[in-house]
Amino acid sequence: MDLRFTADEIQFRDEVRGFFRTALPASIRRKMELGQRLSKDDIVTWQRILNAKGWAVPSWPVEWGGTDWGPVKTYIFKEEMQQAPAPDPLSFNVSMVGPVLIAFGSEAQKKHFLPKLANLDIWFCQGFSEPGAGSDLASLRTAAKREGDHYIVNGQKIWTSRAHNADWMFCLVRTSSEGKPQQGISYLLIDVKTPGLTIRPIHTIDGEHHFNEVFFDNVRVPAENIVGEENKGWTYAKYLLGHERVGIARIGAAKHRIQRAKALAADVMIGDTPLSETTRFREKVASIEVELKALEITQMRVVANSVRLPKGAADPTSSILKLKGTELQQATTEILMEVAGANAMIREPDHLWGTATEPSIGPEWTTTTAADYFYMRAASIYGGSNEIQKNVIAKRILEL
Amino acid sequence: MDFDFNDEQRMLKDSVNQLIADRYTFEQRKSYMKDASGFSRDVWNQFAEMGLLGLPFDEKFGGVGYTDGGAVETMIVMEAFGRGLTLEPYLATVVLGGGLIHRGGNDAQREALLPKIADGSLMLAFAHEEAQSRYNLADVATTAKRDADGWLLTGEKNFVVHGNCADKIIVSARIAGDRASRDGIGLFLVDAKAPGVARKSYETQDGQRAAQIRLSGVKVSSNDAIGDPDKALPLIEKVTDTVLAAVAAEAVGAMSAAHEVTLDYLRTRKQFGVAIGSFQVLQHRAVDVLVSLEQARSMAYYATMMANDPDPAERSKAISAATVQIRRSGKFVGQQVVQLHGGIGMTLDYKIGHYFKRLTAMESLLGDTDYHLAALARAGGLIEASA
């Protein structure tokens, strides 16, 4: 038993760290450090830099542009990326539709889509949730009816992140009402520019536009865009649950926020004492650091264990990582709120977007704090709410 | 990075778990508690036969001779002891007392004492804490005054874990300096039956034993000072950190066993015609227990890895961080497993309450949660501020 990284792993970490230091464009780094919102261009630019290096899709098989790193190095890579801090490659492409196509797609789909997914030539969004199908996803009703060599899609999706940036959507649709609800679902790829498809923005409590409603009114989708077999879509979607074990806890991002909070607190004066020197603040931060360290090791245990699992098998422990990881993401945004104090309540969207022409009213870094805090509440809701994660753990780990 | 045990460690784990299964059922434990010493001599001798009592020592002193002082092996043993809620003075004699002699004693002391610990014929205790010290390891009011050919010890020690059965007691005493100054603390080996030693043994809430020890001008020879009698604090801190790592593993063992017992109960206890484990509110509580336990387990690993770190500042930060997590998890898990059992969790005749009591006793062992959180915060925490 040795919790330290091997010499080879440390060398790899230094290589990755060096790459992020030099390859990440200064403007993107600055936005990331200040917590400012990234434009579509920023995300595309960065993913293409990664792809040119061969690092956009490290978890994919080598033949599709991936690496042979294995879980430990992949983990190191992701943590370093979050701590740089650099943006994640687009998860819809890299961690969701990509792996599903690799596992279940046709050769033609793989050849057509995978290189474009890696290079972000095509931006995918996820069409899963519906107004009546949230945690109970299998009750979804958006219908796809086969007519000749097309599916005709009618219905509505909601909470569709960045649909307004997207070129394509991977979508769960109902193709049958026979049997259990899970048995009549198919996994369909839809070009969002198809006539009859409408995207409307939903503005969230951070004042931003992340989510959308998507309406389907007789949208004609070529039948060849179905992934795998008809009515097997639920299996394909479930394949991803617990599959993305590495980096799910986002320790690197939480660490980065703690590093910032500590540095910024040194400049916030409470009378003659910097906030960073007060006992209350120090103990509150130390408390989070303890939980973070514990979760970091829990994450490494899951990573180490995943070497032993059959390829593609899910580790239910990853639900623990999601649960605790999101709590700590939220706790770290709360600490930054506390450091920013009343400044956090000044709303200056230009500064959030990095497009301001005038100086901010308070310190510039505080212009993004509240938006981060508000938006981070979503972390314990999306991807299966934390309550759903607890149901999963109770059933699959505790066997209750 | 590797979380696996090697073959030898797996064998150790299996054999200790087997020993606990054979010798430490709930009923057997109750009978050991009735012994005057509060534990089983028989089991203690079995520990000796299995080599557990010499685990951290060099081979030439009757030990096993692990390269890193047997940190991982100690973790394995302590976790099993936590599962069994063992009562024997292992922590006091081997990890604490043995640790002080092994790391701080001279060769004559090590040759004289360690083989006896290893063969089970010598029990030790460490008399350090005092009524006023409140976890501060430097707060020592007991004095050691120069006497013709040695020292005279005077003062009162409390919370001496397994001080009831120790043959020899290692006493900390101040030879110079103010009450809480870091310099001027010495360690002295005292025969438990020496004139001037008065010990009042008592039972602790978790069924273990301890003692309050009064020293009234106890004569100690110069040869019985351990290490430099002026500068014992770094040694005390070092050994305390290994003890905290061991206790972390013990706590994880107790938490895991309590969690398993609770899951069994949730699966079998029926109300409203169904197993109570089918109720979502209880499922979520059980999941919270699991998460807390896994976080604790991770920190027990961390403590084990860092317990012998050559940098004392890094070592003590890591141990304090681990201790904060362990104590918080221990309290949470202990309280929740009782709640999940309902009334049966309150009875002395059922084991779940005994896990809770042991976890509670561990909370104030060598510094409580607040003490270690404050220490970690003062030292700047685990993550450095960005430049």
Side-chain angles (χ1 to χ4, degrees):
Chain A
M1 193 172 122
D2 191 344
L3 275 59
R4 286 162 297 196
F5 289 126
T6 62
D8 175 48
E9 287 158 356
I10 287 172
Q11 193 191 348
F12 175 77
R13 185 194 65 194
D14 293 344
E15 184 193 342
V16 168
R17 198 173 279 181
F19 174 76
F20 288 141
R21 202 174 296 131
T22 53
L24 181 64
S27 63
I28 299 180
R29 179 189 301 277
R30 186 177 150 73
K31 281 186 174 181
M32 288 294 290
E33 274 171 356
L34 286 170
Q36 289 174 347
R37 296 295 175 259
L38 299 177
S39 66
K40 178 173 179 176
D41 265 2
D42 292 331
I43 293 170
V44 171
T45 301
W46 174 234
Q47 184 153 334
R48 287 185 184 163
I49 292 170
L50 281 174
N51 199 38
K53 175 83 180 168
W55 288 358
V57 288
S59 307
W60 292 10
V62 175
E63 58 164 322
W64 295 114
T67 66
D68 54 4
W69 286 346
V72 177
K73 284 187 178 170
T74 306
Y75 165 75
I76 292 172
F77 175 76
K78 292 196 177 186
E79 289 302 316
E80 288 298 324
M81 187 154 60
Q82 288 167 16
Q83 263 195 83
D88 287 352
L90 188 70
S91 63
F92 301 114
N93 282 22
V94 172
S95 315
M96 298 182 190
V97 69
V100 166
L101 287 177
I102 290 164
F104 308 107
S106 66
E107 274 313 298
Q109 285 169 338
K110 289 187 210 178
K111 279 206 179 106
H112 176 73
F113 282 110
L114 292 178
K116 295 187 175 73
L117 291 177
N119 203 46
L120 203 37
D121 297 333
I122 291 180
W123 182 305
F124 260 89
C125 63
Q126 172 184 269
F128 279 17
S129 296
E130 295 181 7
S135 291
D136 179 15
L137 185 60
S139 69
L140 62 91
R141 292 194 309 195
T142 295
K145 262 211 183 94
R146 183 74 185 251
E147 269 182 25
D149 47 10
H150 280 79
Y151 286 99
I152 312 298
V153 180
N154 280 289
Q156 185 197 342
K157 294 289 173 183
I158 197 169
W159 315 125
T160 319
S161 300
R162 287 196 179 261
H164 53 295
N165 293 138
D167 307 299
W168 282 73
M169 169 189 280
F170 56 97
C171 192
L172 292 181
V173 291
R174 182 153 304 284
T175 38
S176 164
S177 50
E178 305 279 305
K180 284 175 35 179
Q182 287 85 351
Q183 288 164 349
I185 293 171
S186 298
Y187 194 107
L188 205 56
L189 308 179
I190 304 175
D191 183 335
V192 300
K193 282 164 207 80
T194 316
L197 190 153
T198 318
I199 297 170
R200 283 191 208 148
I202 298 172
H203 294 282
T204 37
I205 49 176
D206 56 345
E208 289 294 312
H209 175 199
H210 306 278
F211 301 136
N212 302 274
E213 290 178 290
V214 182
F215 297 90
F216 303 85
D217 180 13
N218 288 316
V219 175
R220 289 172 63 82
V221 181
E224 71 209 37
N225 287 358
I226 193 166
V227 175
E229 293 174 48
E230 202 172 84
N231 297 328
K232 290 275 174 66
W234 187 256
T235 315
Y236 308 150
K238 245 178 62 176
Y239 167 74
L240 292 178
L241 294 178
H243 181 80
E244 194 57 29
R245 303 179 267 269
V246 176
I248 191 176
R250 301 190 63 78
I251 307 284
K255 266 191 193 166
H256 179 72
R257 273 190 221 101
I258 294 286
Q259 289 166 343
R260 273 189 82 212
K262 284 179 143 179
L264 293 165
D267 293 330
V268 174
M269 300 302 290
I270 315 273
D272 296 331
T273 314
L275 178 62
S276 60
E277 296 300 317
T278 64
T279 305
R280 246 183 91 72
F281 179 79
R282 288 177 85 102
E283 292 189 358
K284 203 180 279 188
V285 174
S287 240
I288 297 173
E289 290 176 63
V290 167
E291 292 257 25
L292 256 183
K293 173 55 83 177
L295 191 65
E296 183 178 13
I297 296 170
T298 306
Q299 162 88 78
M300 294 200 292
R301 285 165 55 201
V302 172
V303 168
N305 192 42
S306 69
V307 183
R308 272 192 293 266
L309 288 174
K311 205 164 169 52
D315 182 351
T317 318
S318 56
S319 285
I320 295 181
L321 300 175
K322 162 81 164 62
L323 202 60
K324 203 74 208 176
T326 53
E327 282 175 16
L328 289 172
Q329 295 301 317
Q330 293 171 338
T332 51
T333 59
E334 247 177 276
I335 284 287
L336 279 164
M337 279 289 271
E338 189 173 323
V339 179
N343 284 312
M345 290 298 115
I346 305 172
R347 188 164 177 272
E348 294 182 277
D350 294 0
H351 284 274
L352 185 58
W353 281 95
T355 54
T357 48
E358 282 186 35
S360 55
I361 296 164
E364 189 176 13
W365 72 267
T366 63
T367 58
T368 60
T369 313
D372 263 347
Y373 170 69
F374 290 134
Y375 186 64
M376 198 53 77
R377 302 314 301 173
S380 51
I381 300 170
Y382 59 56
S385 71
N386 281 16
E387 289 70 26
I388 292 289
Q389 303 297 335
K390 287 186 183 182
N391 290 350
V392 170
I393 296 169
K395 195 168 150 197
R396 294 181 51 196
I397 303 183
L398 303 183
E399 294 169 9
L400 289 175
Chain B
M1 191 180 84
D2 160 25
F3 290 85
D4 290 338
F5 297 138
N6 60 35
D7 287 346
E8 210 179 321
Q9 289 165 342
R10 263 194 294 273
M11 277 166 56
L12 174 69
K13 186 177 172 166
D14 289 346
S15 59
V16 184
N17 280 336
Q18 192 57 51
L19 171 81
I20 296 303
D22 292 344
R23 302 299 306 268
Y24 251 95
T25 63
F26 186 59
E27 292 306 317
Q28 285 168 326
R29 180 176 185 268
K30 273 205 261 187
S31 71
Y32 306 153
M33 279 170 84
K34 289 187 188 122
D35 188 277
S37 64
F39 64 90
S40 161
R41 250 304 156 179
D42 232 29
V43 172
W44 185 252
N45 291 335
Q46 211 170 335
F47 287 174
E49 280 165 31
M50 289 174 67
L52 303 184
L53 301 183
L55 200 85
F57 310 146
D58 292 347
E59 268 175 290
K60 59 178 169 178
F61 305 124
V64 183
Y66 293 113
T67 44
D68 64 341
V72 175
E73 287 76 10
T74 301
M75 178 181 85
I76 290 169
V77 170
M78 290 304 296
E79 185 175 341
F81 287 178
R83 299 185 70 88
L85 294 174
T86 58
L87 302 161
E88 286 64 30
Y90 189 83
L91 199 68
T93 297
V94 178
V95 188
L96 193 43
L100 288 168
I101 304 290
H102 193 230
R103 287 157 196 262
N106 57 37
D107 272 354
Q109 289 164 336
R110 297 200 281 184
E111 277 160 20
L113 300 169
L114 297 179
K116 286 188 181 167
I117 293 176
D119 72 18
S121 60
L122 178 71
M123 290 183 187
L124 295 182
F126 181 37
H128 180 58
E129 285 186 66
E130 300 175 2
Q132 85 292 342
S133 57
R134 187 74 191 183
Y135 312 131
N136 179 358
L137 294 175
D139 188 335
V140 174
T142 297
T143 55
K145 295 238 152 59
R146 263 288 173 202
D147 187 38
D149 58 342
W151 303 87
L152 283 178
L153 307 186
T154 302
E156 193 169 297
K157 297 290 184 178
N158 202 359
F159 319 116
V160 184
V161 176
H162 280 116
N164 66 314
C165 59
D167 304 297
K168 286 184 185 292
I169 299 165
I170 299 169
V171 176
S172 62
R174 184 164 289 291
I175 66 164
D178 298 332
R179 198 183 89 190
S181 72
R182 290 187 57 85
D183 288 332
I185 299 170
L187 288 178
F188 305 91
L189 191 65
V190 176
D191 195 294
K193 295 195 174 65
V197 176
R199 63 176 156 180
K200 187 176 166 58
S201 300
Y202 55 88
E203 195 183 327
T204 49
Q205 297 290 355
D206 55 340
Q208 298 217 0
R209 301 298 169 98
Q212 195 173 39
I213 294 173
R214 177 169 295 143
L215 305 132
S216 315
V218 177
K219 271 173 105 68
V220 181
S221 118
S222 289
N223 295 334
D224 284 333
I226 297 165
D228 187 343
D230 186 27
K231 291 191 172 56
L233 191 62
L235 170 66
I236 295 170
E237 289 172 335
K238 196 179 193 176
V239 174
T240 294
D241 284 348
T242 66
V243 172
L244 285 166
V247 174
E250 185 189 352
V252 166
M255 282 186 248
S256 316
H259 177 59
E260 286 157 24
V261 168
T262 304
L263 290 176
D264 274 347
Y265 188 76
L266 291 174
R267 291 186 196 114
T268 49
R269 166 76 175 166
K270 289 202 165 138
Q271 286 289 275
F272 306 101
V274 292
I276 60 171
S278 64
F279 300 135
Q280 194 179 40
V281 69
L282 300 190
Q283 290 179 350
H284 285 198
R285 199 184 283 261
V287 169
D288 292 341
V289 168
L290 173 75
V291 172
S292 192
L293 160 64
E294 291 305 325
Q295 290 283 83
R297 189 187 303 281
S298 290
M299 284 310 244
Y301 288 159
Y302 184 53
T304 298
M305 184 185 70
M306 295 297 290
N308 295 307
D309 196 89
D311 178 343
E314 285 304 308
R315 184 195 74 217
S316 86
K317 276 202 294 189
I319 294 292
S320 279
T323 304
V324 168
Q325 180 70 53
I326 294 287
R327 301 284 156 88
R328 283 185 175 163
S329 291
K331 179 184 285 231
F332 179 75
V333 171
Q335 292 175 350
Q336 295 308 316
V337 294
V338 170
Q339 178 69 24
L340 283 163
H341 274 83
I344 192 81
M346 293 300 298
T347 63
L348 208 49
D349 279 339
Y350 189 67
K351 57 186 161 188
I352 204 73
H354 295 266
Y355 290 115
F356 175 43
K357 280 146 68 82
R358 178 65 191 140
L359 287 166
T360 304
M362 284 190 257
E363 270 180 55
S364 57
L365 198 63
L366 297 167
D368 61 9
T369 311
D370 284 353
Y371 173 84
H372 285 286
L373 183 62
L376 177 63
R378 265 199 313 276
L382 297 171
I383 299 172
E384 274 183 50
S386 51

